[in-house]
Amino acid sequence: MRALAESYDAALFDLDGVIYLGPKAVDGVPEALEELRSRGTHLGFVTNNAARTPATVAEHLTSLGIRASQDDVVNSTQATLRMLAADLPAGSRLLAVGTDALRQQLTGAGFVVVDSLDDDPVAVVQGYHPQLVWSQIEQAALAVQRGAAWYATNPDLTRPTDRGIVPGLGSQIAIVRVCVDVDPLIAGKPFRPLLDETVLRIGAQHPIFVGDRTDTDILGANNVGMDSLFVFTGAHGKADLADAAPEFRPTWIGFDAAALLEPPREAFLEGQRYTCGYQEVDFTDGLGWLSTRPVTRDEQLDALWAALQARWRFGIDISAVLNSLDLLR
C-alpha cells in the first residue's frame, strides 16, 4: 500500500509535542523527516508559539538533526503581522506584551513598539512569554480598557514539555480578559490566519497537517478544509479523541510523525462491528468490546481507530477499549 504522505504534496507540522518536547526531539522523528524529504515531500513547520523568530526555530530544528531554514518555518507572529497590516496604518504604535522576538518582528514590519499605555498605543499585541513580567499584563489590560485594539498570536492554554504540561499564552490572555469586556483577535490555530499564511508561504496545493492537539491543530486544519494526522506524542490522547465533537476529529491517527511513511489506517463497518487491520471492535450490545486484546503499539492504534468509528458514528461507549490500550496516552 502507498504511504500516507504520498497522497499529499506537503506535510505541515506543529512543533511542540510533534517534532520536539522542550529541548529534545521526539524519538525517531528527525529520521522520519529526512526520509520524507528524500521521497519528495515538501515539509513546513508551523508554530503557534510567538516567543521565537522563524530563524531561531530553524536553528533549534537544525540542532536536533532536522534540516530546516527559516523559510520552512511559519509562526503565529507572521500571521498576526498580516492581520495588523490589513487593519492598521504603517507606523502605528503598538504595545507588545511578549518576548524580544515578538518586538523584533513587529518593528521589522514597520510598526513602532512602545512600552507603556502612556505612549498612546492604538493596539496591544500579546504573545507567549516564558518569564512574563506582571506589569506588562497590567499595561495591556489598561490599554485595552482605554480603547486599544487587542491582538493575540495564539490561544493555547497549555504547552507540552519534556517535564510535563505547563501554562501557555491562552492562560496569559485569560488574565487580561478578566479585566476587559472584549476578546482578542487571534492569528494562531485553530483560527484561519496562521494556516492560511503557511499555505501561502510554503506554496502547498494539497497539504496534510500533523498535530497533537484536537482543540488547536485538528480544529484548525478542519477550519481550512485540510486533512490532518493526529499523533500521541504531545498534549492530547485517546480520551480526547473519544470525546471529540466532529470539528475536532482528525482524518487519520498515528503514534508519531513517522506514520506519514506508513499506509493510512482505515476501518471498515461489517454489521455491528468495526475492523481495522486485525483488530475488531464489536458493539452488538451497545458497548464497544475487542475480540482480541491488542499487544503491540500498532495493534492498539488499529483497535483505537476501529473503536473511534463506533463512538463517532453510533455514540457507542468505548471505555473498555480505551482502558486496554496501555501503550497510548
Side-chain angles (χ1 to χ4, degrees), residues 143-168:
V144 174
Q145 289 173 38
R146 292 187 183 184
W150 185 20
Y151 295 82
T153 58
N154 66 281
D156 301 48
L157 288 171
T158 62
R159 294 178 56 247
T161 74
D162 57 323
R163 301 180 64 184
I165 302 299
V166 300

Side-chain angles (χ1 to χ4, degrees), residues 105-116:
Q105 289 186 268
L106 291 171
T107 300
F111 295 102
V112 175
V113 175
V114 301
D115 299 312
S116 168

Side-chain angles (χ1 to χ4, degrees), residues 55 82 144 172 194 270 286 301 307:
R82 193 174 295 275
V144 174
Q172 297 174 359
L194 177 55
E270 302 170 358
L301 286 165

